[in-house]
Amino acid sequence: QRLTGQQQEINSLMQRKSAVDEENARLKNEFSNLNRKFKDKSQELKDTEECAQKKEEQNRLVIKNLEEENKGLNICCADLLSDLEKLRKQEAQWEKEKSRNDARIKNLETDLAETREQTKSLHSIFSNLSTEVAMKQEELFRKDCDVIKAKKELEELQNLYRQNIEYTTQQAELIKQLQALNAD
């Protein structure tokens, strides 16, 4: 009976051991699964960290590039602002010059209008003088004709005078001869 009690106890212990072994095996299995999951998650974490590190490095590079670009843009912007300021000054200068030129143009237009009036007046005077010159030329032509006529008349008179002198000389000679004959 003691032996049977011990046997039962042994059986009970064996059952408990078997149950503990099963539990142990289950726990080992679970531990193995958890360990595998832990390894997977560790690898995932490692990969994620590496990825995050790469991303951070890329971001640092992007930020650096953007800062460089920003620096360049700031310089460019400063240059453009400087150019704009120069252009504004130049525009102000041109406005002054335009204003001066407009005033000069206005004065020149006034002068031109006055000159046109003077030209009109001079044209009128010129026209009157041209008419007068034409009349004087006509008069001069008539006088030239009169002079030519008078010269011809003078020539004719001189010829007549010469002929008259010759005739008178001949007559005087004849008279002398007649007087000589008469005296004889």
Side-chain angles (χ1 to χ4, degrees):
Q1 213 177 15
R2 233 176 108 193
L3 200 68
T4 315
Q6 277 182 342
Q7 191 66 41
Q8 278 179 343
E9 204 175 322
I10 286 168
N11 283 344
S12 171
L13 284 170
M14 286 294 278
Q15 279 176 348
R16 273 176 63 198
K17 183 190 178 297
S18 175
V20 165
D21 284 346
E22 272 178 43
E23 181 69 16
N24 221 2
R26 191 185 62 79
L27 285 172
K28 264 186 188 172
N29 197 25
E30 203 173 311
F31 176 76
S32 174
N33 286 339
L34 283 172
N35 206 22
R36 195 174 59 251
K37 276 183 187 177
F38 175 74
K39 276 181 185 170
D40 289 348
K41 289 290 177 193
S42 289
Q43 190 59 46
E44 204 177 309
L45 179 67
K46 193 179 172 189
D47 291 348
T48 305
E49 278 174 350
E50 277 176 18
C51 189
Q53 216 171 347
K54 278 179 189 170
K55 277 257 191 264
E56 203 176 315
E57 194 59 40
Q58 280 176 342
N59 286 346
R60 246 188 258 121
L61 275 173
V62 167
I63 287 166
K64 192 181 175 188
N65 289 339
L66 286 172
E67 279 172 352
E68 286 296 315
E69 204 177 318
N70 196 29
K71 212 182 281 179
L73 287 171
N74 281 337
I75 290 166
C76 189
C77 194
D79 289 346
L80 286 170
L81 283 171
S82 172
D83 289 350
L84 181 66
E85 191 58 37
K86 281 178 195 165
L87 286 171
R88 281 193 178 137
K89 281 178 186 170
Q90 208 170 17
E91 187 188 18
Q93 188 66 31
W94 285 344
E95 285 294 328
K96 278 183 195 170
E97 280 179 37
K98 187 186 177 298
S99 178
R100 277 201 300 268
N101 287 339
D102 286 348
R104 276 177 65 198
I105 287 166
K106 204 173 183 182
N107 290 339
L108 287 170
E109 280 172 350
T110 307
D111 290 350
L112 184 65
E114 285 173 11
T115 306
R116 278 189 181 141
E117 285 300 314
Q118 284 174 356
T119 305
K120 256 189 219 171
S121 172
L122 288 171
H123 271 300
S124 174
I125 291 166
F126 177 75
S127 180
N128 293 339
L129 286 171
S130 291
T131 308
E132 210 175 308
V133 165
M135 285 164 65
K136 292 281 180 197
Q137 278 177 333
E138 212 174 297
E139 199 179 317
L140 194 62
F141 179 72
R142 276 200 308 273
K143 284 189 178 174
D144 278 347
C145 287
D146 290 348
V147 166
I148 290 165
K149 205 173 173 188
K151 274 183 181 175
K152 275 185 183 175
E153 284 174 10
L154 182 64
E155 269 179 39
E156 283 171 13
L157 283 170
Q158 282 173 338
N159 284 337
L160 280 171
Y161 178 71
R162 242 184 267 113
Q163 285 170 4
N164 202 9
I165 286 172
E166 282 173 18
Y167 181 69
T168 306
T169 308
Q170 283 172 2
Q171 271 186 339
E173 196 63 42
L174 276 172
I175 290 168
K176 270 185 191 176
Q177 285 173 5
L178 283 171
Q179 282 174 344
L181 282 172
N182 202 13
D184 287 343

